[in-house]
Amino acid sequence: MILPFLSEGEHADPDDFPPVHRALTEPNGLLAVGGDLTLSRMVCAYKRGIFPWFGAGDPVLWWSPDPRTVLTPTGFHLSRSLAKWRRQQRYRITVNKAFADVVAGCAAPRSNQDGTWIVPDMFKVFIELHQAGHGYSIEIWDGTQLVGGLFGAKFGRAAFGESMFSRVPNASKLALAAILIDQCWGEVDFLDCQFTTTHLLSLGAEEWSRSLFIQRLNRSMAPQDDI
């Protein structure tokens, strides 16, 4: 199967994604190549269950995997130790107070990774998403020091987790709990986590088929009166 190349430049159509069912099975979910990381294209991608993911020096790759991994408020597993950490309130939790700093923390080098997918163009468009009211962050503070966080996007009641980081134990889990239990991003039906990991499964993540994910996404983006 030949992947479609998306148009790019001044007259590019942000809505030129192919149908998600045309995504490859190997690698799982690869849908299209190319295009540019404009705000309008990113918004269009999110609303269709598509996301960009690629490395430095590579063309933009667009994905819609099957299955899709999500966390839900009812399925999120709050362990006894995490519940204890929350009760202790050792760390201060804020929303959208240091969005760029959280993205930078997620993009920082990690011992178990070779490079970062948050390349400069990705960083820029995430900032634009935030400025447009679609980009959200959770910050975990120890005094005045940022020790963890999570950032992503939200459309209606559909939330998308892009990346998270921890500089102290449990910081990223506290960020997830803030979104899913405390609803710090407002009402959330689910948090998209894209691909499955054992860590996410331990937190109660579910695997939805692509078709189910798109169905739930459309329902969560619809106004309440339309449901």
Side-chain angles (χ1 to χ4, degrees):
M1 177 178 178
I2 299 176
L3 288 170
F5 279 80
L6 302 189
S7 56
E8 186 173 346
E10 182 179 356
H11 302 292
D13 182 359
D15 198 19
D16 61 0
F17 291 106
V20 293
H21 71 266
R22 291 176 53 188
L24 300 183
T25 56
E26 183 58 42
N28 179 19
L30 183 56
L31 178 68
V33 178
D36 41 21
L37 292 172
T38 60
L39 175 62
S40 57
R41 192 187 297 276
M42 285 290 287
V43 170
C44 180
Y46 275 117
K47 290 183 176 181
R48 284 157 178 75
I50 302 166
F51 59 88
W53 182 45
F54 60 100
D58 295 332
V60 182
L61 303 177
W62 300 92
W63 303 77
S64 182
D66 188 9
R68 192 73 167 244
T69 304
V70 302
L71 284 164
T72 65
T74 54
F76 179 66
H77 176 57
L78 185 66
S79 66
R80 290 184 178 180
S81 60
L82 183 58
K84 181 179 179 180
W85 275 76
R86 279 165 53 84
R87 289 194 300 270
Q88 290 175 346
Q89 297 184 339
R90 174 178 174 180
Y91 300 113
R92 181 169 56 95
I93 299 175
T94 59
V95 180
N96 288 345
K97 296 299 184 183
F99 184 89
D101 292 332
V102 172
V103 179
C106 293
R110 307 187 190 193
S111 59
N112 62 340
Q113 292 182 353
D114 183 16
T116 178
W117 62 273
I118 307 176
V119 297
D121 284 348
M122 289 286 277
F123 200 119
K124 177 177 179 292
V125 77
F126 284 136
I127 297 301
E128 292 174 352
L129 275 165
H130 176 61
Q131 293 170 341
H134 301 304
Y136 284 71
S137 62
I138 293 285
E139 300 89 23
I140 310 296
W141 304 89
D142 187 355
T144 60
Q145 183 178 5
L146 184 66
V147 295
L150 182 156
F151 81 93
K154 184 169 180 277
F155 296 87
R157 299 177 310 283
F160 301 82
E162 287 293 349
S163 187
M164 55 188 178
F165 77 99
S166 296
R167 294 172 182 155
V168 295
N170 289 322
S172 59
K173 294 179 182 178
L174 290 173
L176 288 171
I179 297 169
L180 294 165
I181 296 177
D182 302 327
Q183 301 276 287
C184 285
W185 285 3
E187 187 178 0
V188 166
D189 291 342
F190 64 85
L191 178 70
D192 173 38
C193 303
Q194 300 174 351
F195 294 105
T196 303
T197 67
T198 54
H199 175 64
L200 288 172
L201 291 176
S202 73
L203 297 174
E206 304 172 24
E207 290 184 323
W208 290 353
S209 68
R210 182 191 292 122
S211 59
L212 176 60
F213 176 79
I214 298 300
Q215 177 186 342
R216 297 287 183 87
L217 172 61
N218 290 335
R219 188 169 70 185
S220 295
M221 289 191 301
Q224 290 280 61
D225 292 343
D226 294 345
I227 299 176

